Structure formats: C-alpha cells, structure tokens
Amino acid sequence: MNIKKVRVKPKLPDKLKPLQKIASNLWYSWNHDAINLFHRIDPELWQICNHNPVLMLGLISQETLNEISKDDAFISQMKEVEKKLDEYMQICSYYDFKLDEPASFQVAYFSAEYGITESLPIYSGGLGILAGEHLKSASDLCLPVVGIGLLYQQGYFRQYLNLDGWQQEFYPDNDFYNMPISLEKDEDGREIHIEVDIGGETLKARIWRAQIGKVPLFLLDANIPENPQHLREITYQLYGGDWEMRIRQEILLGIGGVRALDALNLKPTVFHINEGHSAFASLERIRVLMKKFNLTFHEAKEAVFASNIFTTHTPVPAGNDRFERYLIEKYFSEYVKELGISIEELINLGKENPENPNESFCMTVLALRMSAYCNGVSKLHEKVSRNMWKNVWNNLKVEDIPITHITNGIHVSSWVSKEMAGLYSRYLNPSWAIEPDNSKVWGRIDKIPDSELWRTHERRRERLVAFVRRKLKEQLEQKGASRKDIERSQEVLNPEALTIGFARRFATYKRAYLLFKDPDRLLKILKDPERPVQIIIAGKAHPKDHPGKEIIKNIIHLIKQEEFRNNVVFLEDYDMNVARYMVQGVDLWLNTPRRPLEACGTSGMKVTPNGGLNLSILDGWWDEGYNGENGWAIGNGEEYSDLEYQDNVESKSIYYLLENEIVPLFYKRGLDGLPRGWIKKMKSAMKTLTPFFNTHRMLENYIEKFYLNAANTWDKLAESGFQNAKELNKWKSNILSRWDSIEILETDISSSEEIFSGDKIKVSAIIKLPALDPEDVNVNIYYGTVTPEGEIINRKIRKLNFYTKLGENLWKFYDEIICTKTGLIGITFMIHPYHPLIENPLSMNLVKWG
C-alpha cells in the first residue's frame, strides 16, 4: 500500500501564534509562568498530555482555540510570557565568561540520554537528568554549548506492577511530530541526513532539534524508511537490546554525532563526553583531522586528546560498557584503515592492560585514554575512580592518577515549587533564580518568617498526598481492582504526618530494602498515634535486573499487609513528574546506597530548596554536604566487608535516628504550633547546600577547570595547520624512546638533625638525561606524612626550580622546601615529562622514582 504522509499542525488564530513559539522552546519546562499559561487553557488536558504543550495544542478543538483568542486576560498573560522568553533569549546572565574566551570557543556535549522534561521521554534516570540540567544551566549562563544525543522511538520503558508486585515493562511509541522538537532541514527545505557505516552497511540518520532555552540539542534518528529494519531499530529503545545493539547505538552516537555537527556546519573545539557511551566520537574527530590536514593518527590524537573532557559517572563495574573482541573487529575492521592503525592498536586503546589478550574492550578506558581532562562527579567518587582505573596508569601512585572531580548539582529552577519560588522572590530577591550559586543570596533565608516557610511547605505536602491518591487510584483501576480497594486508596496517607520519600533506580546496591529490615520496629514508628510517619516509594529496576525486581516485589508484599496499607505507598512508573511532586512535598528524603557505590546522586539535592531534609548514608554528594546541622547521616562513612552485618547495623541506625531524633524534632511544636527546631534545620540546609549543589556552580567549575583551558590548547595546537600538534607528537615520541635511559644517579636532602615546622630543607638530585633538555622534564620532591607501612600520604609535589649542567647529559636539579607539618615526613624524588601544551603530564604514565 502506497501511503503518503503529511504533517497536520493545529491552526492557531493569529492572536494565539505566540503559543506555538513558547511551546517550541523547552524553556517553558522550568518557567512557572509558561507552565501556568498552558495549564490555564485546559488543566485536565494538560495532565493527559503529560505536560506536552505541542501535543496539547494539537488536541484542543478549534472552537476552544477561538474562544481563548477572545479572552483578553489570557492574551495579556500569553504576551507577558512571550516577552519573558524573548528577554531570556536575548540577555546574557551575570557570569561573564567571555572575558577570557578563545575566539573559537564552543563546546559539544555528548550524552546517550537527556532528561529535560517528562514530555520528551528519552531518559532513564540520574545520568540523563544531569545531562539535561547541564544544558539548562549552559543556557542560563549563555555558554556556547550544543548537545548531541539519540532520539529513541520508544525511549526508556514504562513500568507497571502485576498483582504479585512483579515489575512489568511496556514501550509506547513516541510521536515525534507532536513533541517539542523539529527536524533540521537545509536551505532547500530537505531533511539533513548523515551516514555512518554499521558493520559494512550504510546507515542514514536524520537530525532533530530540541531547543533548550538558548542551547540546541541535536538528536539522531535512524528509524527512517531509507534504512533496513534491523538498522532502524538502533534508535528504538534507550538501553534496550543486546551488546551488538549497544555498540551500534554507540557508533551512531559517537561517530554519527561528530558527522551531525559537520552537517550542521558547527565547529566546536571542545568535546565533553558524558559517560563512556559516546567515546567513539574521539576516533571520528581524529579521522576528520587526518583527512583534512594530512596528519598521522598520533598527530591528530594530540589535538583531540587536549580538547576532550570525559566525565565518568559509574563506580559499579557493570555500568561501564565492555565489548568482546569480535564486536570491535566486526564494526571497526574497515574504519581503522582510515585511521591508519591496526585493529589491534584500536583494541588496546580500550584495554586497561594491553598485554592481556583476554581483556575486553572498555568504552570508559577508551574515553580515559582519549581525554586530557577526566573527572568523577563527587569528591569521594574521585577517589573511587582513581582506584577503579589505576591499571590504566600503572606507573603512578593512586593519588596521582589524573582523574579529578567536579561535584554534580541540580538546575534549581527546574525543581523548586511555584509556591517556594514565590517565597524566595519576596524575601531573597528575584536574583535567586539567576544566581542560584550565590551564597549571599541564600544567606537571606533567615529573613523568611518561620510561619510562612512552614505553611508553604505544608501546602506542598498536601498537594503531594493528593497527587499520590490520584496516582494510586489510576494504578488500581488499571489492574481491575475492586471498588472497595479503589475507595480506600483515597484515604491513604495523612496530609499532616511526617512524610519520608524514597525514589531511585532499584539497583541492589541502593538497598531499598534497608528501611524494611525490621518490619515490626518500622510499624511502631509508622503507627504512633501521636507522631505518625508515612513513606512514599517510587523507582524502576532495569528490565534485566531480576534481583532489583525482587526487591520491589518484596516491598509490595509487605506494604499490602493491612497494618501498612495507609502508611506506605509505592508509586508506579517513576518519571520526572512523579519526582517533582515528591521532592517538593516530602519532609525527609531517604538515601541508602552501599558506600562508596553512589557516584554522586542528585535527588536529595532537589529536596533542599523545597524545604525537605536528607537522611542518607555518607556517600556521593552527602559525604560533602552533611555538616551535622543540615540533615542526618546514617553511620560515619564506614565501609564493611561483611555486607549482611553492614545492612543490619545501618538499618538499625535508621530506626534509631527516626525514633530518637527525627520524629521527635518534627513533632516538637511551640505554642504557635510550629516545629521551630525542624524549621531551623530546614533553613540551615537551604543556606549551606543549595548555593553549592547546583548546576550553575557545576558549569562554572567545568568552564574554569576544563573548557577554557581545553579551548586555548586546541587553538595553539591548531596553528599553521596543526603544526604544533605535529611538534608535540614528535616531542612525545622522543620522550618515549629515551625515557628508560633516564637515571637518578644521586640525591641529597640536607638538614640539621632536629627539624622544626617551618624550617627549610635543601634538596638536590643529579639526573642523567640522554639527548633530552632539562625543560623536557619536571624533577620534583614528593613528600608527606609516612604511615606505619612506609607509604607517603597527603603528599605534596614540589618542582625543583633550579638546575646546572655537570657534563654530557648530566644535570643537577636543586631547590628548598619548607615542611609545615610535624611528625614523621617521607621525602622522595619523582621525575615526569613536561611540555607546556600538556595539561597534566602525569597522563603520559611516565614516572621515575628515586
């Protein structure tokens, strides 16, 4: 059957044309006035459309549109929102990064998923939410960033539970033409396509644009008639299919993403790889430079390496993609010919130990080897990542491995409730939304009257309870539950009771079961007639994670018992909308990962600006955020070898804190009925946590630590047809060929027998440098406290700044150091290569000790 497809758009009256403009920019998703505008049109339809204004405008009857166009109050509100959008798009924020901006500065941000809003369901969880908020803050800060991702026909799975509590999955199709995205077309109105070789077959993909305020997000779509069915399926599901499907997706994301940028005539100079899924982008960048500038693989690699940023999010081995050798051979045997390297050389780039023939190819390792700037997403995750990937830099001590950290944050405006936002605007100054990282602004929290803050928070809890009852009714109706059960669902929870939220991916290490280890003890806490407590739970297990599904089932079985029924609720199909209601309404957010397996976590950050408090294991961000006054910690950061014992200890700690600190503080009311102690803790959390744990601060860290440095180095390497890149590669080759011949012949540490804090110590070393200049290396003193095992900890590295020539290839390096710490100090010498165009010389994994 020959079917001609045409796209039918809603016919808006002229007066309502701005609605289409507002609906087409995802800025609306974090602007309360824009959301209220669409909600005002038809509140019920707005909910049915899952807050998708494009779909909503397509479903409204022409009669209704005509009526709205005659509503002067609505037209006035619409024009005001349009004006705010226009102002937002034209005015840059307070952060004037342009002072030191390289002329060519533009960042391409690659991620396999993006959580912008629930109406664009191409995300699964925290990684995608973080990526979406990265782009939102980039827009707010006027940063020249473009996003690259995949547009999934079905996205991530939707969840429902059967009568036994077992998670079931279904995959509704996304209707791209009724979503806030648009196809990229050329000047002649034709769709822009890119091509990628997938195992010897040519795949074509079109490009969709999602406009995130000022930042464009380009999404590749392979589900088009030009492709055979098995290639169309590449962009069917997020994290669906087997490992062969995964490598196909990651080829399209990485290699196809670079080609999409070229097809759109975009020339970013800095590439940010968010998790290892898009690491193949580095290979394509190298191929393009080789072809365009007649460079060798290694010459082009220098430029790519210097301008790559890699953020790793996963401290769990299973979260780092690994491909067996046969898959790399199948999909890259032809591609490597264009790179001028062998398949063996490519495979070794993805191995921790290239000498191990049995090791699989790891995307994280490829990203680490291809990026001058590598970071974890919290201070603790930096340490975990260094230990996790220490074999990539087997010549370095763990603390010297070139992986740093930039702690994640949240986009505050996307998560704070309308009511709380209004309170902030009245008492803090409207700049709280523009400068969420300004601690002086949040320092004004104490100006908010306790009574007003508490009433605002209570209203959100009431709305959360109403939302839960509505969702629970829908869940029961879909299961064909009895009328009695449906009616009873409207009586669950108490709008005035202490409400605990727990919502996240149901991976086993997140230990959703910890709160339910002792049901009898928990029941006493929940059912206290004077001080009732209630729990709202949500989250999904990966479709293949049967242990995670088992945890959900066991919780469901427990909370179905009559005594738990009104106090504990599980909300199915966790998404951004459910998350928003929860973080805006709960009193306490519970987080129970097995330390140190939570890289960062951001859900607890979203609670804070809404007046909620955190009860969490000291893992991820909470290890940095907790100060004893702004929430509660489970344990003291211990790590256990006996996991069952750990679960017992930490579950009892939760019960103890609830019984003796949290519940009593919540219900301790003054004569005015206010929980003054609780409110004091709320304000402390708002003041100490919100100004740091946000994506504006996070983006500024990326700019100052990575982006500008990477862009400047790129500019230098690219001069005169990448002549500096050629010279740098030549220098590295020379260093590598002569490194083993470098010798530390003699060292001297001169000091008196008694050394006091602040005394100077003279140090020197005689070094043999065969056919190398002293500027080619840094000779350092490596010193710090010595442990009983003889290891140097809390080390400092101090370069010896002076040198003299003693003879052929012989140099004396010398300087003075000042010891400020007391106790037993260990001192040794460390040599590593040095070149002004290498951001971190230790990334070369070349060190001499002596």
Side-chain angles (χ1 to χ4, degrees), residues 180 406 477 558 771 843:
I406 292 179
E477 287 175 342
L558 179 68
S843 62

Side-chain angles (χ1 to χ4, degrees), residues 636-800:
N636 294 302
E638 303 91 346
E639 295 175 25
Y640 298 76
S641 56
D642 186 334
L643 302 186
E644 182 59 32
Y645 175 72
Q646 178 183 9
D647 287 354
N648 287 329
V649 168
E650 292 178 342
S651 65
K652 289 176 181 177
S653 177
I654 294 172
Y655 298 137
Y656 178 86
L657 287 168
L658 287 170
E659 293 163 341
N660 296 282
E661 294 188 28
I662 297 170
V663 176
L665 186 66
F666 182 85
Y667 283 103
K668 184 180 180 181
R669 307 296 168 104
L671 295 176
D672 55 3
L674 295 177
R676 297 284 182 178
W678 187 274
I679 295 170
K680 181 180 179 182
K681 225 170 180 66
M682 288 169 61
K683 289 185 172 182
S684 175
M686 290 172 170
K687 285 188 291 188
T688 59
L689 300 174
T690 309
F692 183 80
F693 295 101
N694 63 77
T695 43
H696 278 47
R697 184 274 312 157
M698 183 189 81
L699 258 293
E700 288 163 14
N701 285 170
Y702 276 112
I703 296 162
E704 293 157 5
K705 294 175 71 172
F706 295 167
Y707 289 173
L708 292 178
N709 290 336
N712 279 316
T713 304
W714 168 272
D715 283 353
K716 291 174 184 175
L717 290 173
E719 288 176 4
S720 304
F722 289 89
Q723 185 60 38
N724 284 335
K726 295 177 182 179
E727 292 297 326
L728 179 58
N729 179 63
K730 183 179 178 182
W731 175 86
K732 276 191 176 181
S733 298
N734 186 45
I735 288 286
L736 286 167
S737 67
R738 301 182 186 282
W739 188 255
D740 289 342
S741 300
I742 294 175
E743 295 182 62
I744 301 176
L745 299 178
E746 183 182 323
T747 63
D748 182 56
I749 300 172
S750 301
S751 65
S752 60
E753 290 186 7
E754 278 194 325
I755 305 174
F756 295 94
S757 177
D759 285 353
K760 293 181 179 179
I761 302 174
K762 293 182 179 180
V763 294
S764 64
I766 297 175
I767 312 294
K768 180 183 177 183
L769 294 177
L772 293 173
D773 294 325
E775 292 86 0
D776 290 330
V777 298
N778 274 358
V779 179
N780 305 287
I781 284 293
Y782 189 101
Y783 63 104
T785 305
V786 178
T787 67
E789 293 78 23
E791 292 292 321
I792 295 176
I793 59 172
N794 301 322
R795 91 291 187 269
K796 290 187 177 180
I797 301 175
R798 169 74 185 275
K799 177 187 173 185
L800 303 189

